[in-house]
Amino acid sequence: MFDFFKRRRRIPQLPYTTEVHCHILPGIDDGARDVAHAIQLVYQMKEWGVEKIVATPHVTEASFENTPQTIEAAQAQLRQEIDLGKLGIELCHSAEYRMDDNFLGILERNEIIPMPGNHILIENSFLQPFWNIKGLVFDLQMKGLSPILAHPERYAYYYEEKNIYTELHEQGCEFQVNILSLAGYYNKRAKEVAEWLISKHMVDYLGSDLHNNSHAQCISKYLSGKEFIRHMKNIHLKNNAL
């Protein structure tokens, strides 16, 4: 019997209990396609040790032009189908805001849905950087918002100009790195830059960026491996302060 318990599979745990970046609200972006899929992803995060989820659906011009109304409706739909209190999960929502003309309009109309603590998750296009990111970070700060740049390690156009990372971070823009990047899910270079950001103490938050079961499988495998232990040695996360 002792040998049986010794051999039991250890359930991998995330290095935080507050998830700050995921796409689990059903049917409003490229994440959970419906409520059944959303519930699967919620249960997966519960197994990883998550106690609080900040859902961050995309708000992107021309593809996912979500509003406070569409996001609140999707969250209400999920709550109708799962007893989150009984599960021990606190669910709140914000968004992952693409820096584009649509976002500038939202900002002007004061329609931002902030994360806890007035944080806001922003992202670049993967094709090109926002033309005035430093100015936008300043404008957000002047509005009392604390910007967090989502997955900076995935913007290939920054790879040869790493000074932008230092400049943004020193300006007060915090960084959220994807666990999927550290797991090598995207590509070798994204993983290398994520590791470089860790070495420079510029990783403030980790996020699953969970969209689907393929992501979940990759993350679970990574959490069970030696690389996860190595990566976490030099990182100090702020997730649980939200």
Side-chain angles (χ1 to χ4, degrees):
M1 182 177 291
F2 174 78
D3 289 339
F4 170 77
F5 284 111
K6 188 175 181 180
R7 291 196 304 268
R8 279 196 309 179
R9 180 178 66 91
R10 181 182 67 85
I11 298 176
Q13 299 288 289
L14 287 166
Y16 52 78
T17 58
T18 297
E19 175 60 64
V20 301
H21 184 177
C22 62
H23 299 267
I24 63 161
L25 296 186
I28 58 172
D29 66 2
D30 58 346
R33 59 187 175 272
D34 53 32
V35 173
H37 188 203
I39 291 173
Q40 289 179 13
L41 299 181
V42 169
Y43 271 97
Q44 176 61 82
M45 284 196 280
K46 174 63 179 178
E47 185 175 80
W48 286 334
V50 171
E51 298 172 1
K52 181 178 182 179
I53 299 172
V54 183
T56 54
H58 290 290
V59 175
T60 309
E61 188 172 33
S63 55
F64 304 113
E65 293 189 355
N66 280 304
T67 65
Q69 291 73 33
T70 62
I71 295 171
E72 288 165 9
Q75 178 167 297
Q77 186 182 15
L78 178 58
R79 286 185 180 278
Q80 287 177 355
E81 301 298 328
I82 183 172
D83 188 339
L84 293 166
K86 186 176 181 180
L87 189 60
I89 292 283
E90 178 186 353
L91 175 64
C92 56
H93 67 273
S94 178
E96 180 183 10
Y97 290 101
R98 175 72 57 84
M99 292 177 281
D100 54 27
D101 288 339
N102 179 56
F103 176 62
L104 294 180
I106 291 170
L107 190 60
E108 185 176 350
R109 296 190 299 272
N110 292 315
E111 294 177 354
I112 296 292
I113 309 170
M115 302 171 75
N118 268 358
H119 291 81
I120 178 173
L121 190 67
I122 55 176
E123 71 162 346
N124 270 314
S125 162
F126 291 112
L127 300 178
Q128 60 186 12
F130 183 72
W131 66 277
N132 186 23
I133 186 170
K134 293 179 188 176
L136 181 56
V137 165
F138 178 79
D139 290 342
L140 291 170
Q141 291 169 332
M142 288 300 98
K143 286 181 173 287
L145 296 165
S146 299
I148 301 172
L149 183 62
H151 41 63
E153 75 282 1
R154 298 190 63 195
Y155 305 129
Y157 40 74
Y158 285 160
Y159 292 173
E160 305 307 322
E161 300 179 15
K162 287 195 175 71
N163 59 300
I164 187 64
Y165 292 121
T166 302
E167 292 168 3
L168 283 172
H169 205 257
E170 289 181 349
Q171 188 181 349
C173 182
E174 295 177 311
F175 292 164
Q176 174 265 305
V177 160
N178 280 3
I179 290 178
L180 288 164
S181 296
L182 291 171
Y185 181 85
Y186 305 112
N187 55 64
K188 180 180 178 181
R189 198 65 198 280
K191 179 178 180 179
E192 290 174 347
V193 174
E195 291 175 331
W196 179 83
L197 288 168
I198 290 176
S199 74
K200 298 299 181 181
H201 306 289
M202 288 194 284
V203 178
D204 303 288
Y205 303 89
L206 287 178
S208 68
D209 201 358
L210 188 64
H211 284 65
N212 51 52
N213 294 329
S214 176
H215 286 175
Q217 291 169 8
C218 179
I219 290 170
S220 288
K221 182 178 179 181
Y222 167 72
L223 295 177
S224 300
K226 293 181 179 179
E227 277 202 312
F228 167 64
I229 297 172
R230 176 173 65 86
H231 289 150
M232 294 306 110
K233 285 182 179 180
N234 295 310
I235 193 167
H236 302 284
L237 298 176
K238 300 179 181 180
N239 289 58
N240 294 348
L242 264 64

